[in-house]
Amino acid sequence: MDTVLRDVRVIDGSGGPSYRADVALVGGRIATVHREGDAGPRPSARHTLPGDGLALAPGFIDMHAHSDLALLRDPAHEAKAAQGVTLEVLGQDGLSYAPVDDRTLAEVRAQIAGWNGDGSDIDFTWRSVGGYLDRLDHGFDGAGIAVNAAYLIPQGTVRMLALGWEDRPATADELTRMKQLVAEGLEQGAVGLSSGLTYTPGMYASDAELTELCRVVAEYGGYYCPHHRSYGAGALQAYEEMVALTREAGCALHLAHATMNFGVNKDRAPELLALLDAALDGGADISLDSYPYTPGCTTLVAMLPSWASEGGPEAILARLRDEGSAARIRHTMEVEGADGCHGVPIEWDTIEISGTTDPAFAPYVGRTVAQSAAARGEEPWTVARRLLIDDHLGPTILQHVGHEENVRRIMRHRVHTGGSDGILQGAKPHPRAYGTFPHYLGHYVRELGVLSLEECVAHLTSRPAARLRLPDRGLIREGYRADLVLFDPETVAAGSTFAAPRTLPTGIPHVLINGEPVIENGHRTEVLAGRAIRRAAPRP
């Protein structure tokens, strides 16, 4: 054997009781699980790692990650590796970097610079989904990347590529082109399709258009992952819309960062869960992910009404510079409730600037728009408008609109999985980017008892692996990939806080990917064992 993990408490990902065992690895896979009391000799190997009271779990799967460029920028990628994350699902919220042409690439780089940076430090050698996955495989000098990565085809980018930024129905030819792009991406290894239905231009798609794309996804055995049309005033209706749409298409559904936010949804999680239970009991294939925090995180430009974003980034900036258009945008946001802000009138005291692309605007970071406005004797809209224009739509925000009881109820659900929604850009990112998985284990399991340790590990491992239809990941079983996490249940905790969001977790001394040590004795090694995870799509 290559390695034996000696006398560890195995939490195997199934949700069943833990047990003590020696786990032997060879060739990047689990070769033997020798339980305490089993007959025969205990396995031996060239390298032995003592358990020392540690728990062994399958590697954690981040079902909602925004590391699309970070994995190509930072070989260490400690934000995720140190949490025990061994696989991230990229291409989220309908916006990412494949498939593209030169025009679309420039537009999407500008639109989501707040999520991933402007990409000026990245060599965009690819244009297709397969080309992007190849680039991940190559990683750094051909050695690979820090953790494994799967990819969702971004519907907003596909629409951008097929018909631009126009708010209109797709023609028959344009719809055919979008379906072809989705099919090609699935054939090249993508696991499904994502949407950002409060982001332009994805939000311009009708339900009929989305249903046709989901039919293609279903034919290839993938899943649809929508950031749906509202998490605020119309949240329940938006969830119902996605359930009905995917059932019509015969497509599996995974609800991204499933929350019930804003004052209108306080204590309404039971209504969402009842809706999902009825659909599940009726045969629907549904799962969801959530992060264990109340504030959300996105870009400031995402708060604008969709009509203000038609035409792309330069058109947005032109409208913001025009006094008449800017006044109309302000009225929509502050009085009517923009669709970008989920139909709820914006409350500037809940909008905290978490990062800007230009360091000159650092004084705004860590303060709400309302606080900065008060300090300058200005209206909040004046501050927000100036930031959007002068930072070229780059500011990221924390949006303090969540409810703790909703968070806890949703994470208990039978189809729940973990997703960080971690944006790594900005001087003060959301702590979920560095802390989601240890925060589940430390705060919600050990301190609050919301979930048992065995249940929680299942939420973070086997459930997402099942959704991704990965037959050899997510459980500790002989023959499975040796993507593993050794952690101390008594001390594991998120180090990241809102005040110090880039602090690494504690209590996770060892992380292995394909049997190789990515984290060893609490420190990042130079190992780059991550690769693109291509799921073979059955041909329709």
Side-chain angles (χ1 to χ4, degrees), residues 355-441:
T356 59
T357 55
D358 188 337
F361 303 110
Y364 293 92
V365 174
R367 310 178 77 180
T368 67
V369 173
Q371 287 170 334
S372 291
R376 290 166 171 76
E378 297 176 328
E379 293 291 321
W381 166 248
T382 303
V383 170
R385 179 188 179 194
R386 182 170 62 244
L387 272 175
L388 286 166
I389 293 172
D390 293 349
D391 199 36
H392 303 285
L393 311 181
T396 52
I397 62 170
L398 303 182
Q399 195 170 15
H400 296 271
V401 293
H403 305 286
E404 179 65 20
E405 186 54 35
N406 285 347
V407 169
R408 296 188 194 187
R409 284 182 178 272
I410 290 168
M411 75 170 62
R412 293 188 187 105
H413 195 264
R414 54 177 159 149
V415 297
H416 170 265
T417 68
S420 71
D421 197 10
I423 294 174
L424 301 170
Q425 288 297 117
K428 193 170 179 279
H430 197 302
R432 68 193 186 193
Y434 283 72
T436 287
F437 295 87
H439 198 50
Y440 268 120
L441 297 169

Coordinates of all heavy atoms in Angstrom, one line a residue, residues 355-441:
G355 N -15.6 44.9 -1.7 CA -14.4 45.0 -2.5 C -14.6 45.9 -3.7 O -15.8 46.1 -4.1
T356 N -13.5 46.5 -4.2 CA -13.6 47.3 -5.4 C -12.4 46.8 -6.2 O -11.4 46.3 -5.7 CB -13.4 48.8 -5.1 OG1 -12.2 49.0 -4.4 CG2 -14.6 49.3 -4.3
T357 N -12.5 47.1 -7.5 CA -11.3 46.7 -8.4 C -10.2 47.7 -8.3 O -9.1 47.4 -8.5 CB -11.8 46.5 -9.8 OG1 -12.4 47.7 -10.3 CG2 -12.8 45.3 -10.0
D358 N -10.6 49.0 -8.0 CA -9.6 50.0 -7.9 C -9.3 50.3 -6.5 O -10.2 50.6 -5.7 CB -10.1 51.3 -8.6 CG -9.1 52.4 -8.7 OD1 -8.1 52.4 -7.9 OD2 -9.2 53.3 -9.5
P359 N -8.0 50.1 -6.0 CA -7.7 50.3 -4.6 C -8.0 51.8 -4.1 O -8.1 52.0 -2.9 CB -6.2 50.1 -4.6 CG -5.9 49.2 -5.8 CD -6.9 49.7 -6.8
A360 N -8.2 52.7 -5.0 CA -8.5 54.1 -4.6 C -9.8 54.2 -3.8 O -10.0 55.1 -3.1 CB -8.5 55.0 -5.8
F361 N -10.6 53.2 -4.0 CA -11.9 53.2 -3.4 C -12.0 52.4 -2.1 O -13.0 52.0 -1.5 CB -13.0 52.7 -4.3 CG -13.1 53.6 -5.6 CD1 -12.7 53.0 -6.8 CD2 -13.5 54.9 -5.5 CE1 -12.7 53.8 -7.9 CE2 -13.5 55.7 -6.7 CZ -13.1 55.1 -7.9
A362 N -10.8 52.0 -1.6 CA -10.7 51.2 -0.3 C -11.4 51.8 0.9 O -12.0 51.1 1.7 CB -9.2 51.0 0.0
P363 N -11.5 53.1 1.0 CA -12.3 53.7 2.2 C -13.7 53.3 2.2 O -14.3 53.4 3.3 CB -12.1 55.2 2.0 CG -10.8 55.4 1.2 CD -10.8 54.2 0.3
Y364 N -14.3 52.9 1.1 CA -15.7 52.4 1.1 C -15.9 51.0 1.6 O -17.0 50.6 2.0 CB -16.3 52.5 -0.3 CG -16.4 53.9 -0.9 CD1 -15.4 54.5 -1.6 CD2 -17.6 54.6 -0.7 CE1 -15.5 55.7 -2.2 CE2 -17.7 55.9 -1.2 CZ -16.7 56.5 -1.9 OH -16.8 57.7 -2.4
V365 N -14.8 50.2 1.5 CA -14.9 48.8 1.9 C -15.1 48.6 3.4 O -14.4 49.2 4.2 CB -13.6 48.1 1.4 CG1 -13.6 46.6 1.8 CG2 -13.5 48.2 -0.1
G366 N -16.0 47.7 3.7 CA -16.3 47.4 5.1 C -17.3 48.3 5.7 O -17.6 48.2 6.9
R367 N -17.9 49.2 4.9 CA -18.9 50.1 5.4 C -20.2 49.9 4.4 O -20.0 49.6 3.3 CB -18.4 51.5 5.3 CG -17.1 51.7 6.0 CD -16.6 53.2 5.9 NE -17.3 54.1 6.8 CZ -17.1 55.4 6.9 NH1 -16.2 55.9 6.1 NH2 -17.7 56.1 7.8
T368 N -21.3 50.2 5.0 CA -22.5 50.1 4.2 C -22.5 51.4 3.3 O -21.9 52.4 3.6 CB -23.8 50.0 5.0 OG1 -24.0 51.3 5.7 CG2 -23.8 48.9 5.9
V369 N -23.3 51.3 2.2 CA -23.5 52.5 1.4 C -24.1 53.7 2.2 O -23.7 54.8 2.1 CB -24.4 52.2 0.2 CG1 -24.7 53.4 -0.6 CG2 -23.7 51.2 -0.7
A370 N -25.0 53.3 3.1 CA -25.6 54.3 4.0 C -24.6 55.0 4.9 O -24.6 56.2 5.1 CB -26.8 53.7 4.8
Q371 N -23.7 54.2 5.5 CA -22.6 54.8 6.3 C -21.7 55.7 5.6 O -21.4 56.8 6.1 CB -21.9 53.6 7.0 CG -22.6 52.9 8.1 CD -21.9 51.6 8.5 OE1 -21.1 51.0 7.8 NE2 -22.2 51.2 9.7
S372 N -21.3 55.3 4.4 CA -20.4 56.1 3.6 C -21.1 57.4 3.2 O -20.5 58.5 3.2 CB -19.9 55.4 2.4 OG -19.0 54.3 2.7
A373 N -22.4 57.3 2.9 CA -23.1 58.5 2.5 C -23.2 59.5 3.6 O -23.1 60.7 3.5 CB -24.5 58.1 2.0
A374 N -23.5 58.9 4.8 CA -23.7 59.8 6.0 C -22.3 60.5 6.3 O -22.3 61.7 6.7 CB -24.1 59.0 7.2
A375 N -21.2 59.8 6.2 CA -19.9 60.4 6.5 C -19.6 61.5 5.5 O -18.8 62.4 5.8 CB -18.9 59.3 6.4
R376 N -20.1 61.4 4.3 CA -19.8 62.4 3.3 C -20.9 63.5 3.1 O -20.8 64.3 2.2 CB -19.6 61.7 1.9 CG -18.3 60.9 1.9 CD -18.2 60.0 0.7 NE -16.9 59.3 0.6 CZ -16.5 58.3 1.3 NH1 -17.2 57.9 2.3 NH2 -15.3 57.9 1.2
G377 N -22.0 63.3 3.9 CA -23.1 64.3 3.7 C -23.8 64.2 2.4 O -24.3 65.2 1.8
E378 N -23.9 62.9 1.9 CA -24.5 62.7 0.5 C -25.7 61.7 0.7 O -25.8 61.0 1.7 CB -23.4 62.1 -0.4 CG -22.3 63.0 -0.7 CD -21.2 62.4 -1.6 OE1 -21.1 61.2 -1.5 OE2 -20.6 63.1 -2.4
E379 N -26.4 61.6 -0.4 CA -27.5 60.6 -0.5 C -26.8 59.2 -0.8 O -25.8 59.2 -1.5 CB -28.5 61.0 -1.6 CG -29.3 62.2 -1.3 CD -30.3 62.0 -0.2 OE1 -30.9 60.9 -0.1 OE2 -30.5 62.9 0.6
P380 N -27.4 58.2 -0.3 CA -26.8 56.8 -0.6 C -26.7 56.6 -2.1 O -25.7 56.0 -2.6 CB -27.7 55.9 0.1 CG -28.3 56.7 1.3 CD -28.4 58.0 0.7
W381 N -27.8 57.0 -2.9 CA -27.7 56.7 -4.3 C -26.5 57.4 -4.9 O -25.9 56.9 -5.8 CB -29.0 57.2 -4.9 CG -28.9 57.2 -6.4 CD1 -28.9 58.4 -7.2 CD2 -28.7 56.1 -7.3 NE1 -28.8 58.0 -8.5 CE2 -28.6 56.7 -8.7 CE3 -28.6 54.8 -7.2 CZ2 -28.5 55.9 -9.8 CZ3 -28.4 54.0 -8.3 CH2 -28.4 54.5 -9.6
T382 N -26.2 58.6 -4.5 CA -25.1 59.4 -5.0 C -23.8 58.6 -4.9 O -23.0 58.5 -5.8 CB -25.0 60.7 -4.4 OG1 -26.2 61.5 -4.5 CG2 -23.8 61.5 -4.9
V383 N -23.6 58.0 -3.7 CA -22.4 57.2 -3.4 C -22.4 55.9 -4.3 O -21.4 55.6 -4.9 CB -22.4 56.8 -1.9 CG1 -21.3 55.8 -1.7 CG2 -22.1 58.0 -1.1
A384 N -23.5 55.2 -4.4 CA -23.6 54.0 -5.1 C -23.4 54.3 -6.6 O -22.6 53.5 -7.3 CB -24.9 53.3 -4.9
R385 N -24.0 55.3 -7.1 CA -23.8 55.6 -8.5 C -22.4 56.0 -8.9 O -21.8 55.5 -9.9 CB -24.7 56.8 -8.9 CG -24.7 57.3 -10.3 CD -25.4 58.6 -10.5 NE -25.4 59.1 -11.9 CZ -25.7 60.3 -12.2 NH1 -26.2 61.2 -11.3 NH2 -25.6 60.7 -13.5
R386 N -21.7 56.8 -8.0 CA -20.4 57.2 -8.2 C -19.4 56.0 -8.2 O -18.5 55.8 -9.1 CB -19.9 58.2 -7.2 CG -18.5 58.7 -7.4 CD -18.1 59.8 -6.5 NE -18.2 59.5 -5.1 CZ -19.1 60.1 -4.3 NH1 -19.9 61.0 -4.7 NH2 -19.1 59.7 -3.0
L387 N -19.7 55.0 -7.3 CA -18.8 53.8 -7.2 C -19.0 53.0 -8.5 O -18.0 52.5 -9.0 CB -19.2 53.0 -6.0 CG -18.5 53.3 -4.7 CD1 -19.1 52.5 -3.5 CD2 -17.0 53.1 -4.8
L388 N -20.2 52.8 -8.9 CA -20.4 52.0 -10.1 C -19.7 52.6 -11.3 O -19.1 51.9 -12.1 CB -21.9 51.9 -10.4 CG -22.7 50.9 -9.5 CD1 -24.2 51.1 -9.6 CD2 -22.3 49.5 -9.8
I389 N -19.8 53.9 -11.5 CA -19.2 54.6 -12.6 C -17.7 54.6 -12.5 O -17.0 54.1 -13.4 CB -19.7 56.0 -12.8 CG1 -21.2 56.0 -13.1 CG2 -18.9 56.8 -13.8 CD1 -21.9 57.4 -13.1
D390 N -17.2 55.0 -11.4 CA -15.7 55.2 -11.3 C -15.0 53.9 -11.1 O -13.8 53.9 -11.5 CB -15.4 56.2 -10.1 CG -15.9 57.6 -10.3 OD1 -16.3 57.9 -11.4 OD2 -15.9 58.4 -9.3
D391 N -15.6 52.9 -10.6 CA -14.9 51.6 -10.5 C -15.4 50.7 -11.6 O -15.1 49.4 -11.5 CB -15.2 51.0 -9.1 CG -14.2 49.9 -8.7 OD1 -13.1 50.0 -9.1 OD2 -14.7 48.9 -8.1
H392 N -16.0 51.2 -12.6 CA -16.4 50.4 -13.8 C -17.1 49.2 -13.5 O -16.8 48.1 -14.0 CB -15.1 50.1 -14.7 CG -14.3 51.3 -15.1 ND1 -14.7 52.2 -16.1 CD2 -13.2 51.9 -14.6 CE1 -13.9 53.2 -16.2 NE2 -12.9 53.0 -15.3
L393 N -18.2 49.3 -12.7 CA -19.1 48.2 -12.3 C -18.4 47.2 -11.5 O -19.0 46.1 -11.3 CB -19.7 47.6 -13.5 CG -20.3 48.5 -14.6 CD1 -21.0 47.7 -15.7 CD2 -21.4 49.5 -14.0
G394 N -17.3 47.5 -10.9 CA -16.5 46.5 -10.2 C -16.8 46.2 -8.7 O -16.4 45.1 -8.2
P395 N -17.5 47.0 -8.0 CA -17.7 46.8 -6.6 C -18.5 45.5 -6.3 O -19.5 45.2 -6.9 CB -18.5 48.0 -6.1 CG -18.2 49.1 -7.0 CD -18.0 48.4 -8.4
T396 N -18.0 44.7 -5.3 CA -18.8 43.6 -4.7 C -19.4 44.1 -3.4 O -19.0 45.0 -2.7 CB -17.9 42.4 -4.5 OG1 -16.8 42.8 -3.7 CG2 -17.4 41.8 -5.8
I397 N -20.5 43.4 -3.0 CA -21.2 43.7 -1.8 C -21.6 42.5 -1.0 O -21.7 41.4 -1.5 CB -22.6 44.5 -2.2 CG1 -23.5 43.6 -3.0 CG2 -22.3 45.8 -2.9 CD1 -24.9 44.1 -3.2
L398 N -21.7 42.8 0.3 CA -22.4 41.9 1.2 C -23.8 42.5 1.4 O -24.0 43.7 1.6 CB -21.7 41.8 2.6 CG -20.3 41.3 2.6 CD1 -19.8 41.2 4.0 CD2 -20.1 40.0 1.9
Q399 N -24.8 41.6 1.3 CA -26.2 42.1 1.5 C -26.8 41.4 2.7 O -27.1 40.2 2.8 CB -27.0 41.7 0.2 CG -28.3 42.5 0.1 CD -29.0 42.3 -1.2 OE1 -28.6 41.4 -2.0 NE2 -30.0 43.1 -1.5
H400 N -27.0 42.2 3.8 CA -27.4 41.7 5.1 C -28.9 41.6 5.2 O -29.6 42.5 5.8 CB -26.9 42.6 6.2 CG -25.4 42.6 6.2 ND1 -24.6 41.7 7.0 CD2 -24.5 43.4 5.6 CE1 -23.3 42.0 6.8 NE2 -23.2 43.0 6.0
V401 N -29.5 40.6 4.5 CA -30.9 40.4 4.4 C -31.5 39.1 4.8 O -32.6 38.8 4.6 CB -31.4 40.8 3.0 CG1 -31.2 42.3 2.7 CG2 -30.7 39.9 2.0
G402 N -30.6 38.2 5.4 CA -31.0 36.8 5.7 C -31.6 36.7 7.1 O -31.7 37.6 7.9
H403 N -32.1 35.4 7.4 CA -32.7 35.1 8.6 C -32.2 33.7 9.1 O -32.3 32.7 8.4 CB -34.3 35.0 8.4 CG -34.9 36.2 7.8 ND1 -35.0 37.4 8.5 CD2 -35.3 36.5 6.6 CE1 -35.5 38.3 7.7 NE2 -35.7 37.8 6.5
E404 N -31.7 33.7 10.3 CA -31.0 32.6 10.9 C -32.0 31.3 11.0 O -31.5 30.2 10.6 CB -30.5 32.9 12.3 CG -29.8 31.7 13.0 CD -28.5 31.2 12.3 OE1 -27.9 32.0 11.5 OE2 -28.1 30.1 12.6
E405 N -33.2 31.5 11.3 CA -34.1 30.4 11.4 C -34.3 29.7 10.1 O -34.4 28.5 9.9 CB -35.4 30.7 12.1 CG -36.3 29.5 12.4 CD -35.7 28.4 13.2 OE1 -34.8 28.7 14.1 OE2 -36.0 27.2 12.9
N406 N -34.4 30.6 9.0 CA -34.6 30.0 7.7 C -33.3 29.2 7.3 O -33.4 28.1 6.7 CB -34.8 31.1 6.7 CG -36.2 31.7 6.7 OD1 -37.1 31.2 7.3 ND2 -36.4 32.9 6.1
V407 N -32.2 29.7 7.6 CA -30.9 29.0 7.3 C -30.9 27.7 8.0 O -30.5 26.7 7.3 CB -29.7 29.9 7.8 CG1 -28.4 29.1 7.7 CG2 -29.6 31.2 6.9
R408 N -31.2 27.6 9.2 CA -31.2 26.3 10.0 C -32.2 25.3 9.4 O -31.9 24.1 9.3 CB -31.4 26.6 11.5 CG -30.3 27.4 12.1 CD -30.5 27.4 13.6 NE -29.7 28.5 14.2 CZ -29.5 28.6 15.5 NH1 -30.2 27.8 16.4 NH2 -28.8 29.6 16.0
R409 N -33.4 25.8 9.2 CA -34.4 24.9 8.7 C -34.1 24.3 7.3 O -34.2 23.1 7.1 CB -35.8 25.6 8.6 CG -36.5 25.9 9.9 CD -37.8 26.5 9.7 NE -38.5 26.8 10.9 CZ -39.4 25.9 11.5 NH1 -39.6 24.7 10.9 NH2 -40.0 26.2 12.6
I410 N -33.5 25.1 6.4 CA -33.2 24.6 5.1 C -32.0 23.6 5.2 O -32.0 22.6 4.5 CB -32.9 25.8 4.2 CG1 -34.2 26.6 3.9 CG2 -32.2 25.3 2.9 CD1 -34.0 27.9 3.2
M411 N -31.0 23.9 6.0 CA -29.9 22.9 6.1 C -30.3 21.6 6.6 O -29.5 20.6 6.5 CB -28.7 23.6 6.9 CG -28.9 23.6 8.3 SD -27.4 24.1 9.2 CE -27.1 25.7 8.6
R412 N -31.4 21.5 7.3 CA -31.8 20.2 7.8 C -32.5 19.3 6.8 O -32.8 18.1 7.0 CB -32.8 20.3 9.0 CG -32.2 21.0 10.2 CD -33.3 20.9 11.4 NE -32.9 21.6 12.5 CZ -33.4 22.8 12.9 NH1 -34.3 23.4 12.2 NH2 -33.0 23.4 14.0
H413 N -32.8 19.9 5.6 CA -33.7 19.2 4.7 C -33.0 18.0 4.1 O -31.8 17.9 3.9 CB -34.2 20.1 3.6 CG -35.3 19.6 2.8 ND1 -35.2 18.9 1.6 CD2 -36.7 19.6 3.1 CE1 -36.4 18.5 1.2 NE2 -37.3 18.9 2.0
R414 N -33.8 17.0 3.7 CA -33.3 15.7 3.2 C -32.6 15.8 1.9 O -31.8 14.8 1.6 CB -34.5 14.7 3.0 CG -35.7 15.2 2.2 CD -36.8 14.2 2.0 NE -38.0 14.7 1.6 CZ -38.9 14.1 0.9 NH1 -38.7 12.9 0.5 NH2 -40.1 14.7 0.6
V415 N -32.7 16.8 1.1 CA -32.0 16.9 -0.2 C -30.9 18.1 -0.1 O -30.4 18.5 -1.2 CB -32.9 17.1 -1.4 CG1 -33.8 15.9 -1.5 CG2 -33.7 18.4 -1.3
H416 N -30.6 18.5 1.1 CA -29.7 19.7 1.2 C -28.3 19.2 1.0 O -27.9 18.1 1.4 CB -29.8 20.3 2.6 CG -28.8 21.2 3.0 ND1 -27.6 20.9 3.6 CD2 -28.7 22.6 2.7 CE1 -26.9 22.0 3.8 NE2 -27.5 23.0 3.2
T417 N -27.5 20.1 0.3 CA -26.0 19.9 0.2 C -25.4 21.2 0.5 O -26.0 22.3 0.7 CB -25.6 19.5 -1.2 OG1 -25.9 20.6 -2.1 CG2 -26.4 18.3 -1.7
G418 N -24.0 21.2 0.7 CA -23.3 22.4 1.0 C -22.7 23.1 -0.2 O -22.2 22.5 -1.1
G419 N -22.8 24.4 -0.2 CA -22.2 25.2 -1.2 C -21.8 26.6 -0.7 O -22.5 27.2 0.1
S420 N -20.6 27.0 -0.9 CA -20.0 28.2 -0.3 C -20.5 29.5 -1.0 O -20.6 30.5 -0.4 CB -18.5 28.2 -0.3 OG -18.0 28.4 -1.7
D421 N -20.8 29.4 -2.3 CA -21.1 30.6 -3.1 C -19.9 31.6 -2.8 O -20.1 32.8 -2.8 CB -22.4 31.2 -2.7 CG -22.9 32.2 -3.8 OD1 -22.3 32.3 -4.9 OD2 -23.9 32.9 -3.5
G422 N -18.7 31.1 -2.7 CA -17.6 31.9 -2.3 C -17.0 32.8 -3.3 O -16.5 32.2 -4.3
I423 N -17.1 34.1 -3.2 CA -16.4 35.0 -4.1 C -15.1 35.4 -3.4 O -15.1 35.9 -2.3 CB -17.3 36.2 -4.3 CG1 -18.6 35.8 -5.1 CG2 -16.6 37.3 -5.1 CD1 -19.6 36.9 -5.3
L424 N -14.0 35.2 -4.1 CA -12.7 35.4 -3.5 C -12.1 36.7 -3.8 O -11.0 37.0 -3.3 CB -11.7 34.3 -4.0 CG -12.2 32.8 -3.7 CD1 -11.3 31.8 -4.5 CD2 -12.1 32.6 -2.2
Q425 N -12.8 37.6 -4.6 CA -12.3 38.9 -4.9 C -12.6 39.9 -3.8 O -13.5 39.7 -3.0 CB -13.0 39.4 -6.2 CG -12.5 38.7 -7.4 CD -11.0 38.9 -7.7 OE1 -10.2 38.0 -7.7 NE2 -10.6 40.2 -7.9
G426 N -11.9 41.0 -3.8 CA -12.2 42.1 -2.9 C -11.4 42.1 -1.6 O -10.9 41.0 -1.2
A427 N -11.3 43.2 -1.0 CA -10.5 43.4 0.2 C -11.2 42.7 1.4 O -10.5 42.3 2.3 CB -10.2 44.9 0.5
K428 N -12.5 42.6 1.4 CA -13.2 42.1 2.5 C -14.3 41.1 2.0 O -15.5 41.4 2.1 CB -13.8 43.2 3.3 CG -14.4 42.9 4.7 CD -14.7 44.1 5.5 CE -15.3 43.8 6.8 NZ -16.7 43.4 6.8
P429 N -13.9 40.0 1.5 CA -14.9 39.1 0.9 C -15.8 38.5 2.0 O -15.5 38.5 3.2 CB -14.1 38.0 0.2 CG -12.8 38.0 1.0 CD -12.6 39.5 1.4
H430 N -16.9 37.9 1.6 CA -17.7 37.1 2.6 C -16.9 36.0 3.2 O -16.2 35.3 2.5 CB -18.9 36.6 1.8 CG -20.1 36.1 2.6 ND1 -20.0 35.2 3.7 CD2 -21.4 36.5 2.6 CE1 -21.2 35.0 4.2 NE2 -22.0 35.8 3.6
P431 N -17.0 35.8 4.5 CA -16.2 34.7 5.1 C -16.6 33.3 4.7 O -15.8 32.4 4.9 CB -16.5 34.9 6.6 CG -17.7 35.7 6.7 CD -17.8 36.6 5.5
R432 N -17.7 33.2 4.0 CA -18.1 31.9 3.6 C -17.1 31.3 2.6 O -17.0 30.1 2.4 CB -19.5 31.9 2.9 CG -19.6 32.7 1.6 CD -21.0 33.0 1.2 NE -21.1 33.6 -0.1 CZ -22.2 34.2 -0.5 NH1 -23.3 34.2 0.2 NH2 -22.3 34.7 -1.7
A433 N -16.4 32.2 1.9 CA -15.4 31.7 0.9 C -14.3 30.9 1.5 O -13.8 30.0 0.9 CB -14.8 32.9 0.1
Y434 N -13.9 31.2 2.8 CA -12.9 30.6 3.5 C -13.4 29.7 4.6 O -12.6 28.9 5.2 CB -11.9 31.6 4.1 CG -11.0 32.2 3.2 CD1 -11.4 33.1 2.2 CD2 -9.6 31.9 3.2 CE1 -10.5 33.7 1.3 CE2 -8.7 32.5 2.3 CZ -9.1 33.4 1.4 OH -8.3 34.0 0.5
G435 N -14.7 29.7 4.9 CA -15.1 29.1 6.1 C -16.4 28.2 6.1 O -16.7 27.6 7.1
T436 N -17.0 28.1 4.9 CA -18.3 27.4 4.9 C -18.3 26.0 5.5 O -19.1 25.6 6.4 CB -18.8 27.3 3.4 OG1 -19.2 28.6 3.0 CG2 -20.0 26.3 3.3
F437 N -17.3 25.1 5.1 CA -17.4 23.7 5.5 C -17.0 23.5 7.0 O -17.7 22.8 7.7 CB -16.6 22.9 4.5 CG -17.2 22.9 3.2 CD1 -16.9 23.9 2.3 CD2 -18.2 22.0 2.8 CE1 -17.5 24.0 1.0 CE2 -18.8 22.0 1.6 CZ -18.5 23.1 0.7
P438 N -15.9 24.1 7.5 CA -15.7 24.0 8.9 C -16.7 24.7 9.8 O -16.9 24.3 10.9 CB -14.3 24.7 9.1 CG -14.1 25.5 7.9 CD -14.8 24.8 6.8
H439 N -17.4 25.7 9.2 CA -18.5 26.4 10.0 C -19.6 25.5 10.1 O -20.3 25.4 11.2 CB -18.9 27.7 9.2 CG -19.7 28.6 10.1 ND1 -19.2 29.0 11.3 CD2 -20.8 29.3 9.9 CE1 -20.1 29.9 11.9 NE2 -21.1 30.0 11.0
Y440 N -20.0 24.7 9.1 CA -21.0 23.7 9.3 C -20.6 22.7 10.4 O -21.4 22.4 11.3 CB -21.2 22.9 8.0 CG -22.2 23.4 7.0 CD1 -21.9 23.8 5.8 CD2 -23.5 23.4 7.4 CE1 -22.9 24.2 4.9 CE2 -24.5 23.9 6.6 CZ -24.2 24.3 5.3 OH -25.1 24.7 4.4
L441 N -19.4 22.2 10.3 CA -18.9 21.1 11.3 C -18.8 21.7 12.7 O -19.1 21.0 13.7 CB -17.6 20.5 10.8 CG -17.7 19.8 9.4 CD1 -16.3 19.5 9.0 CD2 -18.5 18.6 9.5

